[in-house]
Amino acid sequence: MGNHLLHLLGFLLLFLTAPLVASAQATNSSSNRNITLGSSIVASVNSLAWQSPSGDFAFGFHQIEGQKLYLLAIWFDKIPNKTLVWYANGDKLAPEGSKLELKTDGELILENPDGKVLWRPSLIRDIGVSYASLLDTGNFILASSDSSLVWQSFDHPCDTILPTQIIDTKKSLSSRTAENNFSRGHFELRLIPDGNLVLNTFALPTGNAYEAYFWSHTVDTKYPNVTGNRLIFNESGYLYIIMTSSRIVNITSGNIVPARNYYYRVILEYDGVLTQYAHPRVPKNGKWEGSWFTVWSKPDDICSAIQGQFGLGTCGFNSYCMLNSNGRPNCKCLPGFNFSDPSNEFKGCERDPIQRCNLDDTNPEDLYDMYPLDNIFWPNSANYEVMESLNQDQCRNSCLYDCNCVVAVEKSGTCHKKKMPVSNGRREEVDGKGFVKVLISSIPSGDFPYSPSERGNGKKDKSAFSILGSVLLGTSAFFNFAFLAFTAEDHDVLVHQASPRQI
């Protein structure tokens, strides 16, 4: 009880002093390593970086693995893996030889070797810049001669927030596309005007937000129309919301180890999971033991959390999502499909050739088979036909002979037929079975889980090729079961329960 009260007092103290933080950071610049007008750095393998006074952070060019392309970024500089916390040009990487310069007129600009502008900050105040500085908080600032802030990276977060950083209703976090692809992904963290902290997918490039898959249930009922709420990540490692009514809602769960011994960061991962990590500040006995470890994450099951009918879902179209042993999503393509981008399993799947409706005199069973997937369903992918009182064989055959059908799902005697693309596929421990229509030639011999006599309505297959391709029985340990136990937590955060689903 005592520790809880101390935490609340600490939250309240930061709330009262938050408006002074930015000003104090700039005012105390005498202890910073100020970057003077005319300074520059060039993108190369051994390029210099601008460091914070403590050396905890560095600002400079991060080389993309295996490429002569660079990201202008801020990273933790004292730990071995140099983890990135902010980047300027994720959608427009800088080629080798590009230059970042703080010009003599105060303009900060990134140009490629041909002089083309790749990035420049949008200044929030129409006053001259006298110097730049990377603070010990990881915040890169531009300041005037009287140390007033002109621009700061904390006002333009990417996928990560750091202790002392504040997110209001005008800011958001966006995931990157993949672990080593820093273009904008399709997951987003927002503090919306009613006081809820939400995670949602959104459309690219328009930015249209889809239904949230997590929210904090922190509506400020006393001031429902006032947008003064803020998300604060304090120096002790706690993430919380301060409501307009001064109510404090803790978002953090798990054990928070002393911040003096650990670095903290909260990141919206490229798989859509919001995660807080901690990392030892110094090696033990001269050796680094372990790396970043998870303090907490939300939602607990990203595969099941996304309930909306629109958008890519967790794994993209024509795929399904399963949790791995670490509770993170593992994306699988439908049988007969391949990843659209082999380097990024979250961008969905496609198949070649495309399913044909004009088969001339060929019977569908000569070209296609229905591949069963136990307990894999697409509950939020729209059905174009729903037929009652059909068993699994009848449902499977109905899809096989329907040129529009790609996936059929039988549950409780009802057959649900779906067209391409299907979305939000996932595993559910309920009675029923899914069937995917696949070209017989696209499945390796012996990979069909049942014999020709068990396919369709029991007709003899007229194609010798399909008989040879289907004769071998295969038993497959195709699925790994990964479950996360939902535990009641002593804070106000709840995962939203879905509306009635579509099978």
Side-chain angles (χ1 to χ4, degrees), residues 22-246:
S23 175
Q25 286 178 336
T27 302
N28 294 334
S29 60
S30 59
S31 61
N32 299 331
R33 297 180 180 179
N34 289 347
I35 300 156
T36 58
L37 300 181
S39 299
S40 65
I41 51 177
V42 177
S44 67
V45 175
N46 298 313
S47 62
L48 298 176
W50 293 331
Q51 288 188 317
S52 66
S54 66
D56 285 341
F57 293 94
F59 177 69
F61 289 104
H62 167 82
Q63 185 175 12
I64 303 299
E65 185 177 356
Q67 303 181 58
K68 292 185 177 181
L69 295 172
Y70 293 81
L71 198 65
L72 181 62
I74 298 171
W75 60 84
F76 285 98
D77 202 39
K78 285 186 175 180
I79 59 178
N81 57 11
K82 312 296 183 188
T83 306
L84 302 186
V85 298
W86 183 87
Y87 40 92
N89 59 321
D91 292 309
K92 195 177 292 185
L93 297 175
E96 194 168 67
S98 298
K99 182 169 73 170
L100 176 72
E101 182 177 8
L102 182 59
K103 295 182 176 293
T104 55
D105 61 2
E107 182 181 28
L108 184 68
I109 189 168
L110 172 62
E111 296 177 325
N112 70 9
D114 296 326
K116 181 180 178 181
V117 176
L118 300 177
W119 174 81
R120 58 158 61 94
S122 300
L123 302 187
I124 58 174
R125 301 179 64 185
D126 188 21
I127 57 177
V129 172
S130 295
Y131 66 90
S133 184
L134 179 61
L135 308 182
D136 279 335
T137 57
N139 187 16
F140 184 80
I141 66 168
L142 300 176
S144 65
S145 58
D146 65 357
S147 295
S148 298
L149 276 180
V150 180
W151 182 91
Q152 59 177 338
S153 61
F154 270 16
D155 282 340
H156 305 272
C158 295
D159 60 3
T160 301
I161 55 176
L162 296 170
T164 74
Q165 195 163 356
I166 298 171
I167 302 293
D168 59 26
T169 55
K170 297 179 181 179
K171 305 184 186 77
S172 64
L173 297 187
S174 296
S175 66
R176 64 186 75 166
T177 296
E179 185 174 6
N180 292 309
N181 184 339
F182 296 89
S183 59
R184 192 180 186 193
H186 66 280
F187 298 101
E188 184 177 48
L189 170 76
R190 296 180 297 147
L191 185 64
I192 59 179
D194 68 3
N196 263 313
L197 182 70
V198 300
L199 293 169
N200 58 264
T201 59
F202 64 94
L204 290 171
T206 63
N208 178 53
Y210 295 128
E211 181 181 342
Y213 59 89
F214 165 85
W215 53 95
S216 57
H217 294 284
T218 50
V219 174
D220 200 334
T221 55
K222 187 175 180 180
Y223 301 96
N225 298 316
V226 179
T227 59
N229 309 304
R230 290 180 295 172
L231 176 69
I232 295 179
F233 192 15
N234 75 3
E235 290 182 291
S236 298
Y238 287 88
L239 188 71
Y240 58 95
I241 297 172
I242 291 184
M243 316 299 289
T244 308
S245 59
S246 299

Side-chain angles (χ1 to χ4, degrees), residues 242-434:
I242 291 184
M243 316 299 289
T244 308
S245 59
S246 299
R247 176 184 169 216
I248 296 172
V249 181
N250 183 25
I251 302 297
T252 302
S253 59
N255 296 319
I256 300 298
V257 290
R260 65 179 178 275
N261 298 326
Y262 290 85
Y263 294 118
Y264 282 114
R265 63 186 173 105
V266 171
I267 179 172
L268 178 55
E269 294 278 21
Y270 58 89
D271 58 17
V273 180
L274 184 69
T275 307
Q276 180 173 349
Y277 292 101
H279 191 294
R281 285 180 175 265
V282 295
K284 186 176 181 180
N285 298 323
K287 295 182 179 179
W288 289 100
E289 295 184 356
S291 57
W292 293 99
F293 60 89
T294 300
V295 179
W296 59 266
S297 63
K298 294 292 178 184
D300 296 315
D301 181 354
I302 185 68
C303 294
S304 298
I306 297 181
Q307 299 285 340
Q309 182 176 334
F310 302 106
L312 296 173
T314 307
C315 291
F317 296 126
N318 305 318
S319 64
Y320 57 94
C321 177
M322 300 176 67
L323 294 181
N324 62 25
S325 59
N326 295 321
R328 305 310 282 258
N330 186 18
C331 299
K332 301 285 188 181
C333 286
L334 300 183
F337 288 68
N338 297 300
F339 287 118
S340 301
D341 180 354
S343 66
N344 182 8
E345 66 179 42
F346 294 93
K347 291 187 71 174
C349 306
E350 58 188 19
R351 66 178 177 186
D352 187 27
I354 302 298
Q355 178 174 311
R356 294 186 294 123
C357 281
N358 183 13
L359 301 181
D360 297 323
D361 295 330
T362 307
N363 290 317
E365 65 265 28
D366 293 338
L367 292 178
Y368 301 107
D369 211 327
M370 301 301 296
Y371 198 107
L373 293 175
D374 291 329
N375 305 116
I376 302 295
F377 303 106
W378 295 262
N380 307 111
S381 190
N383 307 306
Y384 73 89
E385 192 168 14
V386 177
M387 297 178 293
E388 297 182 351
S389 302
L390 294 187
N391 60 32
Q392 289 183 2
D393 284 343
Q394 291 168 330
C395 183
R396 179 179 65 202
N397 290 339
S398 177
C399 184
L400 177 63
Y401 281 86
D402 183 343
C403 74
N404 292 308
C405 183
V406 175
V407 170
V409 173
E410 187 281 326
K411 268 176 121 174
S412 303
T414 299
C415 182
H416 308 259
K417 293 161 68 175
K418 302 174 187 290
K419 299 179 182 179
M420 285 182 64
V422 292
S423 61
N424 290 327
R426 59 178 177 266
R427 184 175 189 84
E428 291 185 359
E429 289 302 310
V430 293
D431 291 334
K433 182 169 286 190

Side-chain angles (χ1 to χ4, degrees), residues 441-453:
S441 59
S442 70
I443 302 296
S445 177
D447 204 31
F448 281 113
Y450 45 83
S451 66
S453 62

